[in-house]
Amino acid sequence: YLTNGQFFGGSHGADAYGFLAKIGNKENLTKAIISRYENALCLDTGIFGTPILCEALFSIGRGDIALGLLSSEDTEIGYNRMKSKGATTLWEILGGDYASNCHPMFGAPVALLFESLLGIKPKSLESGYKELVISPCLDSKIKWAKGSFTTPKGEISVEFQKKDSGTELQIILPEGVSARLFPESLNLSLSAGLNKITI
């Protein structure tokens, strides 16, 4: 299915599947993914391809493209289409009607907002978020992001905001959680409570 360096001509996020599976030429697939989606008006992926494409974009440092696709104002396809029609839950399909209006089909990219945008990742396979790596996506096109979630030890929160003077980070960790910060080649230990850092 690989022709001229692309899978199925790159349609429906096919190149992202190959990229994450480490099949094909990484550099060629990276260029092909960026070329196809950098100026795309909306997603062309389904329930599996949407999170895979977004994960690939974040991993190549183009989280801005992923966020652009997820928040596209296109009224025919996408999450904003659901919102524009009054949705308060995720619908089964990104385009069209007459399907379930409360369905988890397209909920997978939410995890990427925590793991890839805010950069909250477990350091190991250990459960409970006891050891973390905080590595937010500080792509220059993403100016601000904030989010939190509750773990067995308490709430973990990450916020970053890009300013002329640098990027301000505020990271809140509960007691009993150890974390290291890894943006911009830094390697800083974080303590419980509020950590304010400017880089």
Side-chain angles (χ1 to χ4, degrees):
Y1 304 113
L2 183 65
T3 306
N4 297 325
Q6 286 190 274
F7 294 93
F8 292 104
S11 65
H12 306 298
D15 288 334
Y17 284 80
F19 177 87
L20 291 180
K22 299 181 180 178
I23 302 170
N25 182 283
K26 181 178 180 180
E27 185 178 338
N28 290 345
L29 290 174
T30 297
K31 289 178 183 176
I33 293 167
I34 293 172
S35 175
R36 181 176 183 88
Y37 292 103
E38 189 168 29
N39 297 308
L41 296 176
C42 62
L43 289 159
D44 67 351
T45 48
I47 60 167
F48 302 115
T50 299
I52 285 171
L53 171 63
C54 292
E55 182 179 349
L57 286 166
F58 272 109
S59 70
I60 60 179
R62 293 307 306 266
D64 58 303
I65 298 177
L67 292 174
L69 291 168
L70 292 173
S71 62
S72 169
E73 296 290 337
D74 188 287
T75 57
E76 300 302 318
I77 288 181
Y79 295 91
N80 268 324
R81 175 189 164 276
M82 301 176 200
K83 184 179 175 185
S84 71
K85 291 183 174 278
T88 57
T89 59
L90 290 178
W91 291 0
E92 184 177 357
I93 53 178
L94 290 179
D97 292 306
Y98 310 110
S100 170
N101 288 345
C102 185
H103 206 288
M105 296 272 281
F106 286 94
V110 172
L112 288 172
L113 299 180
F114 289 97
E115 294 173 3
S116 298
L117 177 59
L118 297 175
I120 305 170
K121 299 176 186 174
K123 184 179 178 182
S124 64
L125 297 177
E126 184 178 333
S127 63
Y129 288 89
K130 295 174 185 175
E131 291 184 88
L132 300 175
V133 171
I134 308 289
S135 182
C137 179
L138 299 180
D139 183 281
S140 61
K141 294 183 181 180
I142 300 171
K143 303 294 184 186
W144 175 84
K146 178 181 180 180
S148 64
F149 63 89
T150 303
T151 73
K153 295 284 188 181
E155 185 176 82
I156 296 170
S157 174
V158 173
E159 177 179 4
F160 69 82
Q161 184 171 6
K162 295 183 78 69
K163 297 183 176 180
D164 292 338
S165 58
T167 300
E168 295 179 358
L169 292 124
Q170 293 192 48
I171 301 164
I172 300 174
L173 299 173
E175 291 289 343
V177 172
S178 63
R180 296 193 75 77
L181 177 65
F182 284 94
E184 305 289 331
S185 301
L186 294 176
N187 184 355
L188 301 174
S189 292
L190 302 171
S191 57
L194 175 60
N195 297 265
K196 288 187 174 182
I197 301 155
T198 301
I199 57 172

XYZ file of all heavy atoms in Angstrom, residues 117-175:
457
model
N -0.448 18.200 24.491
C -0.515 19.663 24.583
C -0.007 20.142 25.938
O 0.939 20.920 26.019
C -1.938 20.152 24.336
C -2.150 21.667 24.471
C -1.262 22.427 23.493
C -3.611 22.028 24.262
N -0.606 19.655 27.018
C -0.152 20.037 28.357
C 1.095 19.267 28.770
O 1.830 19.702 29.642
C -1.263 19.803 29.379
C -2.526 20.642 29.173
C -3.592 20.238 30.174
C -2.226 22.128 29.264
N 1.311 18.109 28.158
C 2.534 17.348 28.386
C 2.582 16.559 29.672
O 3.660 16.275 30.188
N 1.435 16.171 30.208
C 1.393 15.415 31.461
C 1.458 13.927 31.125
O 0.496 13.349 30.628
C 0.104 15.719 32.254
C -0.030 17.229 32.492
C 0.099 14.957 33.569
C -1.371 17.640 33.056
N 2.609 13.324 31.414
C 2.806 11.921 31.058
C 3.427 11.160 32.223
O 4.331 11.667 32.890
C 3.739 11.800 29.851
C 3.222 12.475 28.606
C 4.244 12.404 27.494
C 3.782 13.205 26.291
N 4.792 13.272 25.242
N 2.972 9.925 32.454
C 3.639 9.103 33.468
C 5.074 8.804 33.043
O 5.337 8.588 31.861
C 2.811 7.809 33.487
C 1.531 8.140 32.803
C 1.832 9.256 31.846
N 5.979 8.809 34.002
C 7.389 8.532 33.701
C 7.596 7.062 33.371
O 8.442 6.704 32.571
C 8.260 8.928 34.891
C 9.746 8.762 34.645
C 10.541 9.199 35.850
C 12.031 8.994 35.640
N 12.817 9.359 36.823
N 6.804 6.212 33.994
C 6.956 4.776 33.785
C 5.581 4.166 33.583
O 4.581 4.866 33.489
C 7.657 4.141 34.986
O 6.836 4.275 36.134
N 5.525 2.857 33.536
C 4.252 2.157 33.395
C 3.499 2.046 34.720
O 2.431 1.463 34.783
C 4.485 0.761 32.809
C 5.078 0.736 31.396
C 5.322 -0.703 30.960
C 4.156 1.439 30.416
N 4.053 2.624 35.763
C 3.420 2.584 37.073
C 2.098 3.344 37.040
O 1.982 4.404 36.432
C 4.367 3.229 38.096
C 3.869 3.154 39.517
C 4.873 3.765 40.486
O 6.068 3.763 40.162
O 4.448 4.217 41.547
N 1.087 2.795 37.682
C -0.228 3.437 37.689
C -0.291 4.546 38.732
O 0.541 4.620 39.634
C -1.315 2.394 37.973
O -1.126 1.853 39.262
N -1.281 5.400 38.605
C -1.542 6.403 39.627
C -0.822 7.717 39.471
O -0.925 8.581 40.333
N -0.061 7.909 38.391
C 0.638 9.180 38.145
C 1.534 9.571 39.319
O 1.570 10.729 39.735
C -0.370 10.295 37.846
C -1.013 10.165 36.490
C -2.170 9.423 36.319
C -0.451 10.764 35.376
C -2.754 9.289 35.071
C -1.025 10.638 34.124
C -2.175 9.897 33.975
O -2.746 9.759 32.744
N 2.298 8.616 39.847
C 3.198 8.920 40.962
C 4.481 9.583 40.491
O 5.051 10.414 41.185
C 3.532 7.630 41.730
C 2.323 7.003 42.405
C 2.684 5.677 43.027
C 1.455 4.990 43.603
N 1.760 3.647 44.118
N 4.954 9.204 39.315
C 6.141 9.815 38.719
C 5.763 10.356 37.345
O 5.240 9.630 36.512
C 7.265 8.788 38.562
C 7.878 8.321 39.848
C 9.037 7.380 39.590
O 10.170 7.871 39.438
O 8.793 6.165 39.506
N 6.038 11.641 37.135
C 5.604 12.291 35.906
C 6.755 12.933 35.153
O 7.776 13.305 35.732
C 4.592 13.406 36.215
C 3.300 13.041 36.915
C 2.514 14.302 37.228
C 2.476 12.103 36.064
N 6.525 13.090 33.873
C 7.320 13.974 33.038
C 6.341 15.021 32.529
O 5.298 14.685 31.966
C 7.953 13.215 31.852
C 8.592 14.198 30.888
C 8.974 12.212 32.348
N 6.644 16.280 32.767
C 5.813 17.375 32.264
C 6.558 17.998 31.098
O 7.622 18.582 31.256
C 5.554 18.450 33.343
C 5.019 17.827 34.633
C 4.626 19.530 32.806
C 3.622 17.301 34.562
N 6.012 17.839 29.909
C 6.674 18.328 28.701
C 5.640 18.949 27.772
O 5.213 18.345 26.788
C 7.400 17.170 28.000
O 8.086 17.638 26.867
N 5.186 20.175 28.085
C 4.132 20.794 27.280
C 4.582 21.134 25.870
O 5.765 21.329 25.613
C 3.781 22.061 28.071
C 4.960 22.327 28.922
C 5.617 21.021 29.195
N 3.623 21.181 24.967
C 3.890 21.542 23.574
C 4.024 23.054 23.496
O 3.028 23.778 23.583
C 2.745 21.054 22.686
S 2.958 21.463 20.946
N 5.251 23.535 23.344
C 5.493 24.972 23.335
C 5.771 25.481 21.927
O 6.554 26.389 21.727
C 6.655 25.313 24.279
C 6.422 24.931 25.744
C 7.616 25.303 26.594
C 5.150 25.573 26.277
N 5.103 24.857 20.965
C 5.192 25.323 19.586
C 4.836 26.810 19.548
O 3.930 27.260 20.238
C 4.208 24.522 18.718
C 4.306 24.903 17.265
O 3.746 25.955 16.906
O 4.944 24.173 16.493
N 5.537 27.565 18.730
C 5.373 29.014 18.726
C 3.965 29.461 18.329
O 3.545 30.560 18.661
C 6.384 29.658 17.781
O 6.198 29.203 16.461
N 3.208 28.592 17.641
C 1.867 28.988 17.213
C 0.812 28.728 18.283
O -0.323 29.145 18.151
C 1.499 28.253 15.922
C 2.364 28.659 14.756
C 1.943 27.975 13.478
C 2.866 28.404 12.341
N 2.506 27.783 11.065
N 1.194 28.025 19.326
C 0.267 27.777 20.432
C 0.638 28.736 21.551
O 1.674 28.603 22.179
C 0.343 26.313 20.898
C -0.023 25.384 19.744
C -0.585 26.080 22.091
C 0.230 23.927 20.032
N -0.208 29.719 21.787
C 0.125 30.800 22.711
C -0.236 30.507 24.158
O 0.403 31.002 25.080
C -0.592 32.087 22.281
C -0.287 32.537 20.864
C 1.149 32.957 20.710
C 1.422 33.493 19.317
N 2.835 33.771 19.096
N -1.295 29.719 24.377
C -1.778 29.539 25.741
C -2.548 28.233 25.850
O -3.274 27.841 24.925
C -2.698 30.690 26.111
C -3.364 30.555 27.449
C -2.844 30.905 28.661
C -4.671 30.013 27.713
N -3.745 30.612 29.672
C -4.883 30.073 29.116
C -5.672 29.489 26.912
C -6.044 29.628 29.711
C -6.842 29.038 27.510
C -7.017 29.119 28.902
N -2.388 27.546 26.957
C -3.157 26.330 27.238
C -3.197 26.110 28.741
O -2.259 26.467 29.463
C -2.539 25.121 26.546
N -4.292 25.523 29.208
C -4.446 25.252 30.635
C -5.367 24.047 30.803
O -6.354 23.906 30.080
C -5.045 26.461 31.347
C -5.286 26.255 32.832
C -5.902 27.486 33.467
C -6.133 27.280 34.962
N -6.733 28.491 35.584
N -5.028 23.173 31.755
C -5.894 22.038 32.038
C -5.465 21.334 33.305
O -4.348 21.517 33.795
N -6.378 20.533 33.834
C -6.076 19.787 35.053
C -6.923 18.524 35.089
O -7.934 18.420 34.397
C -6.359 20.636 36.294
O -7.741 20.936 36.365
N -6.480 17.572 35.888
C -7.295 16.403 36.166
C -6.912 15.841 37.532
O -5.848 16.152 38.072
C -7.203 15.338 35.064
C -5.847 14.742 34.871
C -5.440 13.624 35.570
C -4.960 15.299 33.948
C -4.185 13.062 35.369
C -3.718 14.741 33.742
C -3.325 13.626 34.464
N -7.800 15.034 38.079
C -7.617 14.516 39.428
C -7.075 13.098 39.383
O -7.584 12.254 38.647
C -8.950 14.553 40.204
O -9.438 15.892 40.213
C -8.750 14.073 41.634
N -6.033 12.853 40.174
C -5.427 11.533 40.309
C -5.695 11.040 41.737
O -6.204 11.801 42.575
C -3.911 11.606 40.071
O -3.294 12.242 41.202
C -3.583 12.383 38.803
N -5.346 9.797 42.043
C -5.517 9.318 43.424
C -4.769 10.164 44.463
O -5.154 10.216 45.622
C -4.957 7.895 43.372
C -5.179 7.463 41.962
C -4.961 8.701 41.139
N -3.700 10.854 44.035
C -2.917 11.695 44.956
C -3.453 13.127 45.037
O -3.070 13.886 45.918
C -1.453 11.750 44.491
C -0.737 10.415 44.546
C -0.368 10.049 45.961
C 0.519 8.817 45.994
N 0.874 8.437 47.359
N -4.294 13.529 44.088
C -4.806 14.892 44.057
C -4.765 15.459 42.650
O -4.508 14.745 41.678
N -5.003 16.762 42.548
C -5.107 17.402 41.235
C -3.740 17.771 40.666
O -2.873 18.279 41.368
C -5.963 18.666 41.327
C -6.211 19.323 39.980
C -7.138 20.521 40.078
O -6.647 21.615 40.433
O -8.341 20.361 39.825
N -3.581 17.510 39.374
C -2.404 17.930 38.622
C -2.869 18.975 37.626
O -3.841 18.761 36.899
C -1.755 16.738 37.886
C -1.241 15.712 38.886
C -0.631 17.217 36.975
C -0.798 14.409 38.254
N -2.199 20.115 37.598
C -2.594 21.208 36.719
C -1.376 21.762 35.993
O -0.309 21.917 36.593
C -3.252 22.327 37.534
O -3.517 23.459 36.727
N -1.548 22.039 34.708
C -0.483 22.654 33.913
C -1.084 23.807 33.117
O -2.153 23.673 32.512
C 0.166 21.643 32.938
C 1.145 22.341 32.001
C 0.870 20.535 33.707
N -0.391 24.931 33.143
C -0.789 26.091 32.332
C 0.469 26.709 31.752
O 1.480 26.815 32.435
C -1.522 27.127 33.181
C -1.889 28.381 32.413
C -2.634 29.407 33.259
O -2.797 29.169 34.478
O -3.044 30.444 32.709
N 0.406 27.075 30.474
C 1.505 27.862 29.914
C 0.942 28.998 29.092
O -0.138 28.917 28.533
C 2.478 26.997 29.103
C 1.950 26.428 27.810
C 1.925 27.191 26.648
C 1.498 25.126 27.754
C 1.457 26.663 25.455
C 1.027 24.576 26.569
C 1.007 25.357 25.408
N 1.702 30.089 29.082
C 1.312 31.265 28.314
C 2.562 31.906 27.730
O 3.511 32.211 28.456
C 0.569 32.265 29.195
C 0.045 33.467 28.434
C -0.875 34.341 29.275
O -1.038 34.123 30.465
N -1.465 35.326 28.654
N 2.550 32.087 26.422
C 3.702 32.697 25.761
C 3.544 34.214 25.758
O 2.506 34.735 25.387
C 3.815 32.167 24.331
C 4.128 30.669 24.269
C 4.309 30.191 22.860
C 5.661 30.543 22.302
N 6.781 29.841 22.896
N 4.600 34.894 26.203
C 4.623 36.355 26.224
C 5.907 36.825 25.573
O 6.805 36.034 25.295
C 4.534 36.865 27.668
C 3.231 36.493 28.363
C 3.167 37.094 29.749
C 1.832 36.800 30.407
N 1.745 37.391 31.764
N 6.012 38.134 25.355
C 7.224 38.691 24.751
C 8.449 38.420 25.608
O 9.556 38.251 25.098
C 7.074 40.204 24.529
C 6.035 40.530 23.457
O 5.750 39.642 22.631
O 5.509 41.652 23.461
N 8.241 38.360 26.920
C 9.361 38.167 27.844
C 9.743 36.697 28.022
O 10.723 36.374 28.670
C 9.007 38.757 29.212
O 7.823 38.155 29.714
N 8.965 35.784 27.455
C 9.226 34.350 27.582
C 7.943 33.581 27.815
O 6.854 34.159 27.799
N 8.081 32.299 28.035
C 6.916 31.447 28.292
C 6.778 31.228 29.788
O 7.703 30.785 30.455
C 7.057 30.089 27.586
O 7.174 30.306 26.180
C 5.849 29.209 27.859
N 5.603 31.583 30.312
C 5.327 31.402 31.735
C 4.595 30.084 31.936
O 3.588 29.814 31.289
C 4.467 32.562 32.260
C 5.172 33.900 32.220
C 4.296 35.036 32.731
O 3.120 34.767 33.080
O 4.782 36.170 32.772
N 5.119 29.271 32.844
C 4.499 27.994 33.190
C 4.062 28.012 34.638
O 4.780 28.512 35.506
C 5.483 26.842 32.979
C 5.870 26.545 31.542
C 7.378 26.608 31.394
C 5.350 25.191 31.129
N 2.874 27.469 34.883
C 2.401 27.251 36.241
C 1.971 25.794 36.334
O 1.053 25.368 35.651
C 1.225 28.177 36.576
C 1.625 29.637 36.640
C 0.525 30.492 37.254
O -0.026 30.159 38.303
N 0.211 31.589 36.591
N 2.645 25.049 37.186
C 2.402 23.624 37.329
C 2.102 23.334 38.791
O 2.882 23.693 39.677
C 3.625 22.805 36.871
C 3.936 23.123 35.401
C 3.386 21.317 37.070
C 5.302 22.685 34.950
N 0.954 22.717 39.030
C 0.557 22.375 40.398
C 0.572 20.861 40.539
O -0.039 20.139 39.744
C -0.846 22.923 40.721
C -0.859 24.452 40.590
C -1.275 22.496 42.120
C -2.229 25.072 40.748
N 1.290 20.392 41.553
C 1.393 18.962 41.825
C 0.928 18.661 43.244
O 1.185 19.437 44.162
C 2.845 18.495 41.678
C 3.503 18.663 40.309
C 4.978 18.314 40.402
C 2.800 17.806 39.273
N 0.265 17.522 43.440
C -0.114 17.133 44.804
C 1.056 16.506 45.549
O 2.054 16.124 44.933
C -1.229 16.109 44.561
C -0.916 15.514 43.235
C -0.248 16.599 42.430
N 0.924 16.383 46.845
C 1.932 15.698 47.651
C 2.032 14.244 47.203
O 1.038 13.615 46.854
C 1.555 15.740 49.138
C 1.631 17.113 49.765
C 3.064 17.612 49.951
O 3.998 16.774 49.887
O 3.241 18.830 50.158
